[in-house]
């Protein structure tokens, strides 16, 4: 889970001699969204087809009712999943409620969650993904055309995740979220919750604070019930 990655980041910092009490533990800034979810058995037709983004063939997605790229539909959450195989399966939930947007879906993975939305930008069909996994977070905009100026493919570590081992990488981590936060908020609305991770008042990451958005509260709600 995302909070586990942050916790492992704390362990790494302690091993390097830093005092990081409470480091990286995400605290919700906004109240948990009153999001309504409805479990579905296939991805709606509007999501289906071939989608392309920058970064090469491996990032492109072929979406059908039961597949999202290499990820396959599963009726229920895979409790035996590990971080490396988290996206092997997905269980889809349609999102609705005040402050959310039409055609938004949670793809519940083994150890993560991918929030996706089918919409248009400048009159062009796009598929937007905010993918939160143990090993990192990605923000991607796919288009129907193989090349488009609308495409985006940005990846980074989770807030104070395992890849954050110095002040330099912590600041890079903060820059990553500052870059994608406005887009995540704009395109996913109340489907995601604003969170805050503190670098603490002493130690290696003193004064470095990271704001981000997350849908992990939904993952935890499903998995822990």
């Amino acid at each position: 889970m995302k909070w586990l990655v942050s916790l492992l980041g704390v362990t790494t910092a302690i091993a390097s001699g830093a005092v990081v009490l409470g480091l990286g533990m995400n605290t919700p800034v906004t109240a948990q969204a009153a999001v309504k979810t409805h479990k579905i058995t296939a991805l709606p037709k509007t999501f289906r087809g071939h989608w392309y983004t920058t970064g090469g063939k491996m990032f492109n997605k072929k979406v059908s009712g039961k597949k999202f790229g290499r990820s396959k539909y599963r009726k229920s959450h895979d409790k035996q999943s590990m971080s490396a195989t988290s996206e092997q399966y997905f269980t889809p939930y349609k999102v609705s409620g005040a402050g959310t947007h039409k055609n938004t879906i949670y793809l519940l993975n083994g150890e993560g969650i991918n929030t996706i939305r089918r919409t248009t930008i400048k009159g062009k069909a796009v598929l937007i993904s905010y993918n939160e996994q143990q090993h990192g977070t990605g923000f991607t905009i796919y288009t129907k055309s193989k090349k488009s100026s609308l495409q985006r493919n940005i990846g980074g570590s989770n807030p104070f995740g395992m890849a954050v081992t110095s002040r330099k990488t912590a600041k890079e981590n903060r820059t990553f979220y500052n870059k994608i936060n406005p887009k995540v908020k704009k395109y996913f609305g109340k489907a995601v919750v604003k969170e805050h991770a503190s670098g603490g008042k002493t130690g290696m990451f003193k004064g470095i604070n990271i704001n981000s958005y997350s849908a992990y509260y939904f993952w935890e709600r499903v998995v822990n019930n």
Side-chain angles (χ1 to χ4, degrees):
M1 291 173 287
K2 197 172 182 179
W3 58 266
L4 177 59
V5 176
S6 295
L7 185 59
L8 290 171
V10 175
T11 304
T12 301
I14 291 174
S16 66
V19 180
V20 288
L21 183 61
L23 170 65
M25 300 307 289
N26 292 351
T27 303
V29 175
T30 54
Q32 182 169 317
V35 172
K36 298 177 183 178
T37 56
H38 176 69
K39 193 174 184 179
I40 55 180
T41 58
L43 292 174
K45 290 183 179 179
T46 188
F47 288 85
R48 302 176 194 178
H50 288 271
W51 297 94
Y52 303 91
T53 194
T54 57
K57 188 176 179 180
M58 67 174 291
F59 293 105
N60 299 333
K61 288 285 187 287
K62 182 179 180 181
V63 181
S64 66
K66 302 290 185 179
K67 283 189 176 183
F68 187 80
R70 296 179 180 179
S71 187
K72 299 178 181 179
Y73 167 79
R74 197 176 191 275
K75 185 177 180 180
S76 58
H77 174 251
D78 180 12
K79 295 184 178 180
Q80 304 302 316
S81 177
M82 298 181 293
S83 177
T85 59
S86 175
E87 295 178 85
Q88 182 177 1
Y89 300 107
F90 70 86
T91 304
Y93 290 79
K94 187 176 181 180
V95 178
S96 62
T100 64
H101 299 292
K102 183 180 178 181
N103 293 326
T104 299
I105 287 177
Y106 291 140
L107 300 182
L108 197 74
N109 303 125
E111 296 295 332
I113 186 167
N114 191 355
T115 307
I116 61 174
R117 182 183 170 200
R118 167 68 165 85
T119 186
T120 59
I121 299 177
K122 296 180 180 180
K124 303 293 184 180
V126 296
L127 182 66
I128 307 173
S129 163
Y130 184 52
N131 193 9
E132 303 172 82
Q133 302 293 329
Q134 274 195 5
H135 49 268
T137 296
F139 176 82
T140 309
I141 298 179
Y142 300 91
T143 64
K144 285 289 189 180
S145 56
K146 291 185 177 181
K147 293 184 178 181
S148 172
S149 61
L150 298 176
Q151 294 173 352
R152 298 289 184 275
N153 187 19
I154 310 167
S157 174
N158 297 324
F160 291 108
M162 287 186 288
V164 180
T165 57
S166 65
R167 287 191 66 83
K168 180 177 182 292
T169 53
K171 289 179 180 179
E172 290 172 350
N173 192 214
R174 180 177 62 188
T175 299
F176 163 66
Y177 280 100
N178 286 345
K179 185 175 183 178
I180 68 172
N181 279 344
K183 295 179 176 63
V184 173
K185 180 182 179 181
K186 175 181 178 180
Y187 293 121
F188 294 107
K190 296 295 185 181
V192 293
V193 170
K194 188 176 182 180
E195 295 184 336
H196 176 78
S198 173
K201 296 182 179 180
T202 60
M204 183 190 302
F205 305 120
K206 177 183 177 181
I208 301 176
N209 301 309
I210 299 173
N211 292 317
S212 63
Y213 287 88
S214 180
Y216 249 98
Y217 67 88
F218 177 73
W219 187 95
E220 292 169 345
R221 191 172 74 199
V222 172
V223 172
N224 293 331
N225 287 339

